[in-house]
């Protein structure tokens, strides 16, 4: 949700900033901009509506020399996407420029006071008040003024500020929105996440809430906003592989990421399964007192969007095989409830980005109430990975497409591993532990086989793109997958409306909408609820509804009832979601392509939702 970049050093700042913005574009892409401070101490700002390449075009004809600069790619919160609302924002005199990710909740009242004092505003954003407040209170030191200003700001922010009145530095601050300072040799970088500096440095300092950083070419000092005391911070090395953030011959990141899934499953499981003992080894959980983990009697999974649907698959797995009651809660709801939590409750936050604001807020609430907090997170070093007591990384690699695909599958895989990990300390037998591990081990090959259906799925997308509505139906392990199929179709091919429903719920309402113009996608592997789903297919057929079925290879009889069938290989029931997901992800991707959409960056969305 908005990407921030900053540079101070020996290069042309604009070159790094442009490169960084392209890597951060997945965070928001309705407008962008940068401000560069030249050696002659002039500030040049360029802003553009639309994607980063529009900014790049604009920069070609503009003065942007200088080795200090800040930049931003926006996902609108306050003020529609326009050049005036694009960041960086400045004060009245154009001496101070600010980029911001987050929401200033009390901006209206601050703005009214500033206007009374004669300040002239150019945008409808909440961010602009910060530049004017700095202008109003400036007494020579940018960092002291910013610290002073932040004391009257309510809300969330990751900020980077430069000023020609106190040049030679970038001042940054953080509260509830992510920000990293990346350390180079005679140069330093600022970014919303470390992927932006891949290829430049691998040394990262994670700013924590309430901290302010003063970043110069050769130094980086962190202080507490509250009392100005120096804070000692560790500089971490991160593994940033530039090739992972390239399309590698694919037309879209989304397709690349779907086709990477077999490899992702190998990476998520590598070194974690001990077949002959039917055990799973999760290094990230070893820091815990194992008795504490053994004693938990309830799990609450907290997540948003697609990650929550992986959580629902985990709920079925953990209850069936580890014998622990599980509830899945949306971050945006859990944070405002009065949950009953004790020290025997484990709260697992699932998040690809590790930065989703609602998931973080819920996690912190659970932590305050004494729960054991765990994370299943893909982004190394992210807020959730740092705020949880222990956790498991997905190792899915950077996911750049806004729609989450490979991370979703890896979340299910990690939940399966977690099920064995916990199950084997409880009632799960050696035989069952071994059986699940054997089946997980086969998954990469089985996913490869599923991916071979891509041409068939592409032609199905062409055939069905004329329909405006879809119903996705599944039961038990594949009920969350039906919801995921619908979510992806809405997200990527947004001319189509889709709903994901539990097969048994269909006749309690949605069936009213079914006719020959309203197709249904049935997620029906050959499992314990297959017969029940068959009855649901009959009910749809009786209303002349079209059926696309995803089922297990060998289920030939389904061709008698379904209009189109996509076959997947056979696996253990609890692992079928790993195989049924891929055709649905491909279907949504090809549908989006049918409409000519940018399937990596669907309209109105952003990859990581760092505002409430
Ligand atoms: O980074 P997270 O996994 O916490 O993100 C959660 C959701 O915002 C995310 O899964 C969203 O629903 C995706 N765009 C779905 O494809």
């Amino acid at each position: 949700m908005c990407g921030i970049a900053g540079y101070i050093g020996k290069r042309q700042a604009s070159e790094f900033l442009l490169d960084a913005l392209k890597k951060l574009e997945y965070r928001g892409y309705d407008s962008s901009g940068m401000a560069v401070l030249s050696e002659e101490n002039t500030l040049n700002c360029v802003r553009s509506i639309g994607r980063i390449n529009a900014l790049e075009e604009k920069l070609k004809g503009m003065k942007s020399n200088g080795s200090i600069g800040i930049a931003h790619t926006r996902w609108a919160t306050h003020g529609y996407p326009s050049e005036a609302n694009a960041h960086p924002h400045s004060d009245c005199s154009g001496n101070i420029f600010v980029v911001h990710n987050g929401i200033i909740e009390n901006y209206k009242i601050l703005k009214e006071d500033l206007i009374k004092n004669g300040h002239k505003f150019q945008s409808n954003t909440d961010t602009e008040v910060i530049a004017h407040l700095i202008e109003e209170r400036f007494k020579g030191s940018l960092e002291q003024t910013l610290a002073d200003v932040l004391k009257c700001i309510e809300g969330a922010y990751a900020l980077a500020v430069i000023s020609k009145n106190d040049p030679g530095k970038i001042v940054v601050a953080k509260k509830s929105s992510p920000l990293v300072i990346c350390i180079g040799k005679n140069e330093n970088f600022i970014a919303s996440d470390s992927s932006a500096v891949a290829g430049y440095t691998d040394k990262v300092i994670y700013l924590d809430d309430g901290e302010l950083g003063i970043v110069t070419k050769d130094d980086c000092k962190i202080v507490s906003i509250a009392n100005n005391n120096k804070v000692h911070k560790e500089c971490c090395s991160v593994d940033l592989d530039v090739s992972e953030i390239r399309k590698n011959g694919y037309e879209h990141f989304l397709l690349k990421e779907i086709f990477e899934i077999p490899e992702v499953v190998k990476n998520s499981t590598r070194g974690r399964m001990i077949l002959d003992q039917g055990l799973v080894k999760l290094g990230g959980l070893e820091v815990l007192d194992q008795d504490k983990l053994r004693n938990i009697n309830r799990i609450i999974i907290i997540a948003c969007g697609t990650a929550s649907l992986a959580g629902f698959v985990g709920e079925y797995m953990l209850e069936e095989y580890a014998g622990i009651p599980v509830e899945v809660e949306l971050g945006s709801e859990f944070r405002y409830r009065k949950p009953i939590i004790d020290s025997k409750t484990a709260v697992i936050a699932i998040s690809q980005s590790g930065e989703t604001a609602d998931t973080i807020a819920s996690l912190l609430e659970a932590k305050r109430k004494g729960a054991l907090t765990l994370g299943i997170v893909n982004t190394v070093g992210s807020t959730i990975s740092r705020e949880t007591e222990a956790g498991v990384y997905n190792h899915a690699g950077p996911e750049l497409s806004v729609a989450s695909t490979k991370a979703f599958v890896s979340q299910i895989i990690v939940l399966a591993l977690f099920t064995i990990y916990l199950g084997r300390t409880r009632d799960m037998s050696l035989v069952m532990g071994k059986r699940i591990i054997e089946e997980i081990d086969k998954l990469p090959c089985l996913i490869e086989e599923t991916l071979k259906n891509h041409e068939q799925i592409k032609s199905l997308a062409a055939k069905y793109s004329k329909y405006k509505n879809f119903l996705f139906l599944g039961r038990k392990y594949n009920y969350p997958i039906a919801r995921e199929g619908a979510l992806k179709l809405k997200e990527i091919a947004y001319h189509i409306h889709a709903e994901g429903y539990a097969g048994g719920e269909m006749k309690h309402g949605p069936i009213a909408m079914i006719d020959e113009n309203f197709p249904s996608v049935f997620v029906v592997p050959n499992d314990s609820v297959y017969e029940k789903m068959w009855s649901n297919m009959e009910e749809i057929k009786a209303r002349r509804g079209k059926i696309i079925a995803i089922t297990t290879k060998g289920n030939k009889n389904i061709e008698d009832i379904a209009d189109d069938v996509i076959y997947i290989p056979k696996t253990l029931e609890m692992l079928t979601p790993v195989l049924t997901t891929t055709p649905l992800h491909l279907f949504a991707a090809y549908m989006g392509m049918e409409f000519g959409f940018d399937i990596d960056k669907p309209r109105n969305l952003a990859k990581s939702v760092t505002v409430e």
Side-chain angles (χ1 to χ4, degrees), residues 254 302-309 350-357 359 376 378-379 384 399 401-405 407-408 411 484 487-488 491-492 585 602 605-609:
L254 181 64
I302 299 173
C304 296
T306 279
S308 75
L309 297 173
I350 305 181
S351 175
Q352 187 288 129
S353 61
E355 302 295 352
T356 301
T359 309
I376 296 178
N378 191 38
T379 308
I384 294 179
E399 190 181 62
S401 161
V402 166
S404 185
T405 55
F408 174 70
Q411 285 158 353
E484 167 65 5
L487 174 62
K488 280 295 174 295
E491 185 177 12
I492 305 170
H585 283 172
L605 290 171
K607 180 70 179 163
S608 76
V609 184

Side-chain angles (χ1 to χ4, degrees), residues 29-43:
Y29 34 82
D30 58 48
S31 53
S32 61
M34 72 169 70
V36 173
L37 189 60
S38 75
E39 255 131 60
E40 299 78 41
N41 205 27
T42 54
L43 266 165

Side-chain angles (χ1 to χ4, degrees), residues 464-470 489 493-498 517-519 595:
Y464 284 89
S465 61
K466 62 177 187 229
Y467 295 97
K468 292 279 166 247
N469 297 286
F470 280 80
L489 194 60
Y494 38 84
H495 280 176
I496 297 174
H497 171 250
N517 295 314
F518 201 128
F595 297 130

